Amino acid sequence: MNVLAVSNPGQPDWRWRIVDYYGGTVEESHIAFPTIAAAVAEGRGRLRQHADRDAPIVRRRWAPGQRKTGPSLTDTVDPRGPKGK
């Protein structure tokens, strides 16, 4: 996650915003700060509380033969031909 400082064109104050790596807003400040540095510093302190939310998703690695979903083609074909002849 990242901390950004945002400001509206009509207002000189800054607010911090925590965004995830997909660009979604996780949290935003309700109070305004006079400088970008003050807003980002406060946002970084708040980001520490969200550290576990940005942990990567761990997926199990697939291994051949690990799971068999159904019979293979050789299991279904009779070597003697059609109708066992």
Side-chain angles (χ1 to χ4, degrees):
M1 286 190 275
N2 292 311
V3 176
L4 305 174
V6 294
S7 178
N8 291 331
Q11 299 173 345
D13 297 331
W14 293 90
R15 297 178 188 274
W16 55 262
R17 182 180 293 167
I18 298 174
V19 295
D20 59 16
Y21 290 120
Y22 301 106
T25 300
V26 175
E27 187 177 357
E28 188 171 344
S29 67
H30 296 287
I31 59 172
F33 298 90
T35 64
I36 295 173
V40 171
E42 182 72 24
R44 282 189 185 149
R46 189 75 174 140
L47 177 63
R48 289 187 193 105
Q49 296 176 1
H50 293 284
D52 61 334
R53 287 185 68 171
D54 207 28
I57 298 171
V58 178
R59 297 202 171 132
R60 288 181 32 191
R61 192 171 166 207
W62 179 80
Q66 192 172 28
R67 184 190 322 169
K68 192 172 181 181
T69 58
S72 66
L73 184 58
T74 57
D75 293 338
T76 59
V77 176
D78 189 349
R80 295 176 291 173
K83 297 188 181 182
K85 292 183 182 181

